[in-house]
Amino acid sequence: MKEGKKQTANPFDMPQKKMGWCPGCGNYRILDALKGALHESGIDRRELVIVSGIGQAAKTPQYVNANMFNGLHGRALPAALGVKLARPDLVVVAESGDGCMYGEGGNHFLHAIRRNADITVIVHNNMVYGLTKGQASPTSMVGMTTPVQVEGVMLEPFNPLAVALSLGAPFVARASAGDGDQTKDIFKQALAFKGVSVVDVFQPCVVFNKLNTYKWFSEHTFYLDSSHDVTDRTQAIRISLDSERLALGVLYRHEGRETYEELLGAEPAALGEQRLADDELQEVINSFR
Amino acid sequence: MKEGKKQTANPFDMPQKKMGWCPGCGNYRILDALKGALHESGIDRRELVIVSGIGQAAKTPQYVNANMFNGLHGRALPAALGVKLARPDLVVVAESGDGCMYGEGGNHFLHAIRRNADITVIVHNNMVYGLTKGQASPTSMVGMTTPVQVEGVMLEPFNPLAVALSLGAPFVARASAGDGDQTKDIFKQALAFKGVSVVDVFQPCVVFNKLNTYKWFSEHTFYLDSSHDVTDRTQAIRISLDSERLALGVLYRHEGRETYEELLGAEPAALGEQRLADDELQEVINSFR
Amino acid sequence: MLHQDDISLVFGGAAGQGIQTIADALVTVLKNNGYAVFSCQEFMSRVRGGSNSSQIRITSERRNAYVRKIDLLFVLDAEALDHLRWRIGEGTTIFAEHDQLGEEDRGRVIDTPLKEFAQKAGHPVYTNSVAVGAVLGVLGLGLEEFNDYLSREFESKGEEVVGRNHDAARLGYEFGVKSAREHHIDITLPTAAEDPASLLLDGTSGLGIGALMAGCGVVSSYPMSPSTGLLTFLAARGRRFGIVVDQAEDEIAAVNAALGASYAGARSLVTTSGGGFALMSEGVSLAGVTELPLVIHIGQRPGPATGLPTRTEQGDLNLALHAGHGDFCRVLLAPGTPAQAIKLMQRAFDIAESYQVPVFVLTDQFMLDSVSMLGDEEIVRLPLQRRVVKTGSDYERYRFTDDGISPRGVPGYGEGIVKVDSHEHDESGHLTENFTIRRKMVGKRLQRLGSLEQEAVPPERIGSDDAAALVVCWGSTRGVVEEALDILQDDNIAALHFSQVFPLHTGLGGMLEGKQVIVLENNATGQFADLLHAVTGRQADRRILKATGEPFAVEEVVEALKGGVAS
Amino acid sequence: MLHQDDISLVFGGAAGQGIQTIADALVTVLKNNGYAVFSCQEFMSRVRGGSNSSQIRITSERRNAYVRKIDLLFVLDAEALDHLRWRIGEGTTIFAEHDQLGEEDRGRVIDTPLKEFAQKAGHPVYTNSVAVGAVLGVLGLGLEEFNDYLSREFESKGEEVVGRNHDAARLGYEFGVKSAREHHIDITLPTAAEDPASLLLDGTSGLGIGALMAGCGVVSSYPMSPSTGLLTFLAARGRRFGIVVDQAEDEIAAVNAALGASYAGARSLVTTSGGGFALMSEGVSLAGVTELPLVIHIGQRPGPATGLPTRTEQGDLNLALHAGHGDFCRVLLAPGTPAQAIKLMQRAFDIAESYQVPVFVLTDQFMLDSVSMLGDEEIVRLPLQRRVVKTGSDYERYRFTDDGISPRGVPGYGEGIVKVDSHEHDESGHLTENFTIRRKMVGKRLQRLGSLEQEAVPPERIGSDDAAALVVCWGSTRGVVEEALDILQDDNIAALHFSQVFPLHTGLGGMLEGKQVIVLENNATGQFADLLHAVTGRQADRRILKATGEPFAVEEVVEALKGGVAS
Ligand SMILES: Cc1ncc(C[n+]2csc(CCOP(=O)(O)OP(=O)(O)O)c2C)c(N)n1
Ligand SMILES: Cc1ncc(C[n+]2csc(CCOP(=O)(O)OP(=O)(O)O)c2C)c(N)n1
Ligand code: SF4
Ligand code: SF4
Ligand SMILES: [Mg+2]
Ligand SMILES: [Mg+2]
């Protein structure tokens, strides 16, 4: 049931809808990169599910013409897992903000990585809680003042890449919303990767984060070049720990691990037909005689 | 209000109580090491609060003659934080099992480390859910079969030390229940450390974990010696990632960071007296004219 | 000592001493001998040590209740004797190794050198077989069934092990026969009128079989007593039945994964207990707003909080009724027997899918761990009808319809796309703040309550239509109420057992009219009595409540209902 | 056009356009001019764009309710006009920049070149000052108060900024005066009889002041609309009042940290909304079993799940009543005005500490964001009495007492140790499985419900004792009901407002006797009507419900109650 792929029209574009983001927000660029990556990856929009939580970032699937599970704040990853376990044949993307994925949903982040289901995890990291109007997020920089952190953020920022790598994530990357093409390319690699892929995307919040602007990101980041060995985990961790010069691109990839759904032998949920083996069932019953 | 410290009697010993652990369980040794460390550290048992979650490990404070907050499964760390914020003058230990701290409570583990309150975190890591009768825990080894993991554990084990180090934990150590004196010593260091200290303690569960026995632990572990530079975080991470030879001792310590309660300026909760500044209050009210 | 009519055997010992194994073997052997049997367990929250006990009843009719009385008591240590002492009566014959006991108890107890015999058979590990043999000897039954049982059970361990178990059983048996003679133990068993091919099923397995029959596709859960058994039941059979079993990192993950799976088309299930379920409250609300089918099994245990982890209570009714914020529909079922568990579990999946609502199955530790007898004819298999539609390209998930229920599409099945949303949404599933759509969506979600009421499982009447008093009970207390009424033989008392507790069946008010209403439930405040009052306006005339962590005993219900019906 | 009696001004625009700033300034200036004012907000769940509006009412008496009618409407863009179109009536005078509007609307709207004037004053940033000036001109008021306001507000930014704001205000003002003249806008304001020194307080700040007065020591919370304001209120004042403010990683952490702090002796608070609170359910149960004081503020918004994040509803009552597994006591308060918020927040902390129970304060978006007027005499300060005892060396946390409440010790205060436990426990706080102790502990925890009922805040009667019909309302609907009754002037209708919704005051049944009971609440099913029924056995004769996400408007309550009292 492939839809015709035209050169110009992107089937993931939505028939015009009002969008809830502020003008200039980095989310628009991430959305564009995502739709571009999906289209160029040849994914059928009807076989794609984008799962999100709650927040500005989490509105993304509202603006993509594809299946959507816009769930609870913090709970994108378990819902995405559920989709994958029931329908391993579908392409599953879990997308949300830094607060959603690393704050409320931090535990799921840890354990989703351990599971290694074939899910592409995209985190819009604007280092702030956007939708709730500017409180600190787990990735906010120390010292940033907010209406709650009136004396400035005191907590050590959460380092998603280092944590993902410590947990053995097989694909770990970082992108920057300002760089459309590179971000699209990283998304394409993540979508193509079999297993859990984590992409943290720097995203300017032009309203609530006056520290981490487009300019700040471009001044503090650099792209890993071909000299970087993406199979070297120790090296990747070292890079991820550098909080001065922030590396962009794929930090680490490790091919070939079996996915959780493969190990479980999950198969697409039967819908129409009855698939129960009556004799097996009788055997179970008989075991209670 | 110091209690007399006698050479022999340990004030943390409980008047005889029935204990809920199986004979031979590693928990007894951890309990002994803890009581020894508390006593030798000169801590007044009335100024110590042990907070725990639910599980076999979490029963520990039931057997210590000191203040206890035996809370919910997975929630030792936030409760301990609450105690510390209200009473920064008290010594606070948070103690629970691997399931409690890294499974149900995984999110709190992440964010407790980021906060760096002066709490000693002790995790009895038996690599299994003991109290609920032998399901896999986040640290269970791949392949271990259980009544739920009938085909063997498929998830990558959670590496608490690597994650703690990635998060910038200032004190990270690993102990082994079988080694009473060393464990006691590590506990003493952790108790003396200002800031959050994480001690993961290998603990044989003699009933449900037939893989990770006293013997297995002694065969797979070694103690870091004086050649190890405890201030080298990169080195500590490297060591923590080695799943063949498991290092024991203090992997990393970084002194001098201010604690969360210091940064917040928390002071002991006023109990008897009224501490409200009436003029301040009037000023607040006047601001609404 | 004379033991007749229904016989109650109790085995007491520490966790890890094998009393559960003894009881399991014995109940099967007795069943195979044609007796009507029932067994239940009570145990402490620890893995080794403490004091637990298993009761086996041999009854003249099939029963499903705990009795306090003990005819034959086998204790493995002194602590167990202390633990059970309050249940020991004149008519209790006690067996134990004397050297386990204090001086004062020895006179009262028949010295039973289990370990010595086991050692004789080759190893202390054979103690259980000695014990079962001894019981069979005392009861005056043959050893054949048990020998067969042992042969089957230890087949894989080789002939030697089987042989030693047989030896152990024989040693115990001979001891039992001798003891009965020497101590004048005179037991008259009820007639062995049951088909030996009957089933012995615990509540957990009943739920599990129901879930298999319902075509459950994904179960995601976090272990918690007493609900874990359903997870392990399904884990053991997952591959064969195409069920994906995921042990979640916490209960929040479990419920959200189950909803993700439901969205994708699988029938999905979570199993938990009160504390774990409390954490799922927000997820229940998500099921409500997204209109996703979900079955939630709550194995109740005494709260609040950690409470008594291995004990029983019916204290989570209010929570299940109201968990989740905002107004939407739900259904609560509460099987009273393993047979009902099989049937209602299927019904739960069916209603969840038909009405696109969360359906709760409420059980408790007593019900889950109790083993009762049933015939194949009691196993009801409901038609398994999936209700997923293939989407057209203009599909909208929340299309307004007459009955408020929109055809349910799933992703990747048809030409359309499927959008579900935790925000208030329009028909296409996109978030909206339009007040008119909001009003209609609220109405849509609540509208189905009417049909759900009409389709509700009506309460089952036990006893006469004309009785002046009605004992109202729900879930696991069915058996104890039924047995108490049988004992009382009072035409003025009948019972209503609710296996669906919400919504209540429409015709209900009438059934209570003119009756004295006595609500019996295993909790501290009478949560079902409150619900009954809220729905029907009828206050219970009397509440019989128990919240100690123990199930009701037949004797105490008889006692409570005796004195007649006036309160 | 003629505008008289109560005047309703509405400002509509996109998020980020500053309508809130305009409303804030104007309401203060009007108050300083001696007028009785009220203001409320409705806004979309987005940071920029969309359509929001602020209403300011100038009333003859102090009011606390939203009205639909609009006398003067200022819209900043065409979308805002569309958004508010349904509220525009014959009597609405509309101001907007014509070039923002479509052709068809221009005829109806007075062209108001706000941005042009702002630019003239130096920068578009001065638009707000132009707007306020314009309104004051139209209303025929002076500009002095506003100039003073601007001077105060921008003092820190230097004289130039102040001066430009003054310029902008003057330009707007002159335009307003001229427009009123040219367009024959004839406004008769109510008498300015208020003390200009009165307070203008929103619900959030009322709660905050109450928490300060109560000596709140620790607040741990996770942001969630509409409850975050209380967190930021306290964060802004934390250091000065010795309050530790912790933004938790999630709501589960928040409630557990609050309980840890409570255990250690601090008065502690969490603030959240329905979805976040759902996650705290298990923590509520922990508060129940450990008998730890805790105050939980739930700022309600429409569910289920994410629902309508920035809208209003009273839909979390059932959840607050029943959250947490097992049976134990709790108290639910629901202030209807900022003054009640101040008082009840103190009461919440006091009851929580006296009775060692969780106390809920239920508000909603409407109440939290509405600004109303009050005099200093309405600010009640309750005695702040801590109830922590110094422990002796034999201290036991759960000592049985006559009233079920044990003296509460905290760690590190006295010679004793303090053990609290989520398991069932004995008097010393150690876990136990003893059934007798269990029974007594369950009773102990429930026993205090009696005194809590006796001490419950009785409902407030609005109107005559003899009225045949009683409008029952709770929480935020107090103002709208009161105003509707004033308008109806029907001696046959009075109201009962509940600011404590659980437990209900004992004398309650009597108050309803012989009355027609009409329950009005901002949810879909009538959750309080159900509670009233459950407690008193009295079914509401009629339910007036609204669950669109909007508050009740005075007009619709009048309409609903008009036709008389028969339902
Ligand atoms: C359980 C729950 N808690 C809190 C909220 C409120 N909430 C909505 S979005 C959000 C944070 C958003 O931050 P982030 O995830 O970083 O997304 P952003 O808006 O910055 O893109 C919060 C706290 C909620 N909806 N549900
Ligand atoms: C919310 C909740 N979920 C589940 C449980 C059941 N439970 C109690 S202890 C435990 C796991 C114990 O494992 P661990 O923390 O490793 O401790 P151990 O017993 O191995 O020492 C679980 C799942 C619970 N009490 N509460
Ligand atoms: S608040 Fe920030 S993150 Fe949200 S839409 Fe606006 S700019 Fe983007
Ligand atoms: S089950 Fe394992 S962890 Fe628990 S007490 Fe027994 S040996 Fe120790
Ligand atoms: Mg963010
Ligand atoms: Mg463990």
Side-chain angles (χ1 to χ4, degrees), chain D residues 116-136:
Chain D
E116 191 187 311
F117 291 132
Q119 199 64 59
K120 236 188 229 167
H123 195 272
V125 89
Y126 302 119
T127 308
N128 296 343
S129 294
V130 178
V132 175
V135 177
L136 294 170

Side-chain angles (χ1 to χ4, degrees), chain D residues 329-330 355 445-454 502-503:
Chain D
C329 294
R330 70 190 74 201
Y355 288 93
R445 289 189 292 263
L446 288 173
Q447 188 183 351
R448 60 201 79 175
L449 191 58
S451 324
L452 285 169
E453 273 168 5
Q454 243 133 34
F502 190 83

